[in-house]
Amino acid sequence: MKLIAISGSLRKGSLNTALLQAAIQELPEGVSVSLESFADIPVYNEDIDGEDKPDAVVRLKEAVASADGLLIATPEYNYALPGGLKNALDWLSRPAFKSVLAHKPAAIMSASKGPTGGARAQGQLKLVLAAVLAEAYPAPEFIVPQAQQVFTEDGVLTDDNVKTRLHRFVNEYIAWVEARFK
Ligand SMILES: Cc1cc2nc3c(=O)[nH]c(=O)nc-3n(C[C@H](O)[C@H](O)[C@H](O)COP(=O)(O)O)c2cc1C
């Protein structure tokens, strides 16, 4: 099985990118993951969403098309999902209902420095995924509140409790993908 992982944060010391890396460590054998970025994707403009799309968009679309599923870890910005992530999803969402995201199983996580762990951003992200007919893994939200307390400065997850929850979450997601989509 092949997954792609997308962090909603471009920040070098991102807790969400660290969460994705920690999740990748917990995946069962035989699952490969490539970490993709939306850093080079321009702001969505339908005028340039024709035959000749920006290279970064083409690359991300191809990566999603060839993947069996998505892992997304996102921060919450001002109670919402980050603009960069939403922008990337908008690019990926065309043609409507027949895009590379349609029927793609997606596991969502969030890490935040606040006490609500990014849960509000996840609610919005699920709405966007529903709009593009992607399949959000219907587990309770995987959130990491006060994430700066469970990752080191170098992004290593040190909390055994979170590690155990993460192990269960990603492994149950893989079992769900295998049962429903393979
Ligand atoms: C523009 C901005 C808005 C933020 N808004 C929220 C918010 O609404 N809720 C929240 O829990 N944290 C919020 N935060 C704090 C983030 O949880 C924190 O910066 C986190 O580390 C961002 O994720 P990252 O480490 O993956 O970059 C905000 C941070 C920024 C920069």
Side-chain angles (χ1 to χ4, degrees), residues 66-87:
S66 68
D68 299 301
L70 310 180
L71 293 179
I72 300 175
T74 185
E76 177 175 288
Y77 286 170
N78 300 313
Y79 292 5
L81 81 156
L85 178 59
K86 173 66 163 58
N87 182 57

Side-chain angles (χ1 to χ4, degrees), residues 34-141:
S34 81
L35 197 57
E36 302 292 336
S37 168
F38 52 73
D40 298 326
I41 291 185
V43 172
Y44 186 81
N45 176 348
E46 214 173 332
D47 291 342
I48 54 168
D49 191 8
E51 293 284 293
D52 206 10
K53 296 183 206 314
D55 289 347
V57 172
V58 174
R59 276 198 302 276
L60 189 60
K61 274 200 169 203
E62 285 173 358
V64 173
S66 68
D68 299 301
L70 310 180
L71 293 179
I72 300 175
T74 185
E76 177 175 288
Y77 286 170
N78 300 313
Y79 292 5
L81 81 156
L85 178 59
K86 173 66 163 58
N87 182 57
L89 292 170
D90 290 339
W91 273 109
L92 294 172
S93 72
R94 304 280 106 179
F97 311 121
K98 293 185 200 123
S99 77
V100 291
L101 289 170
H103 312 297
K104 201 64 81 175
I108 300 169
M109 298 169 273
S110 56
S112 153
K113 287 184 179 163
T116 52
R120 290 168 293 222
Q122 287 201 29
Q124 294 197 334
L125 179 52
K126 280 187 177 163
L127 204 61
V128 175
L129 292 176
V132 300
L133 303 185
E135 310 273 349
Y137 177 46
E141 275 77 11

Side-chain angles (χ1 to χ4, degrees), residues 18-27 109 142 144 151 157 159-173:
L19 176 58
L20 272 184
Q21 300 283 12
I24 290 168
Q25 303 293 314
E26 301 300 328
L27 284 166
M109 298 169 273
F142 191 94
V144 185
F151 288 95
L157 178 59
D159 185 299
D160 286 341
N161 191 24
V162 176
K163 219 181 267 186
T164 303
R165 282 201 298 123
L166 192 55
H167 181 85
R168 197 181 319 134
F169 179 76
V170 294
N171 281 273
E172 287 177 359
Y173 164 69

